[in-house]
Amino acid sequence: QGTLRTLAFERGVIQSVSGSAIVVRTVTGITETWHLVGNTVVREHGKKTSASALTRGEPVWVGGPVLHGARDARLIVIRPPAAPSSAKPAPAASSGS
């Protein structure tokens, strides 16, 4: 039989960055610490970048295995800022009778 693995992922905003971890706060207010490991991949605008691109306040998607209760970040995607809520589609033109 194979070994069971637990994978976790979340979207949120980076609250803090240290040399070995980031803390991410989700939209529900939960904060999780993700450890930066030797094979952590960071991507921005579809291209691979370095962990030095991670900064406080940046929206991210992060995922990886949970090992002994610790979350290892294997992939971090720096997401573009959300579109302003004022960017709503124009109402459809009504046809007159």
Side-chain angles (χ1 to χ4, degrees), residues 57-81:
E58 206 152 33
V60 293
W61 181 97
V62 58
V66 179
L67 305 169
H68 307 292
R71 295 170 184 256
D72 286 353
R74 297 292 172 90
L75 176 61
I76 302 171
V77 179
I78 300 170
R79 299 180 333 175

Side-chain angles (χ1 to χ4, degrees), residues 35-67:
H35 299 280
L36 303 176
V37 293
N39 58 351
T40 297
V41 173
V42 180
R43 297 187 69 82
E44 183 175 25
H45 303 295
K47 297 182 180 165
K48 194 171 178 180
T49 188
S50 68
S52 63
L54 301 170
T55 58
R56 186 175 193 273
E58 206 152 33
V60 293
W61 181 97
V62 58
V66 179
L67 305 169

Side-chain angles (χ1 to χ4, degrees), residues 5 12-13 24 28 31 34 40 48 52-53 71-72 75 86 88 92 94:
R5 289 187 166 189
V13 175
V24 176
T28 59
T31 57
W34 289 84
T40 297
K48 194 171 178 180
S52 63
R71 295 170 184 256
D72 286 353
L75 176 61
S86 62
K88 294 179 184 172
S94 60

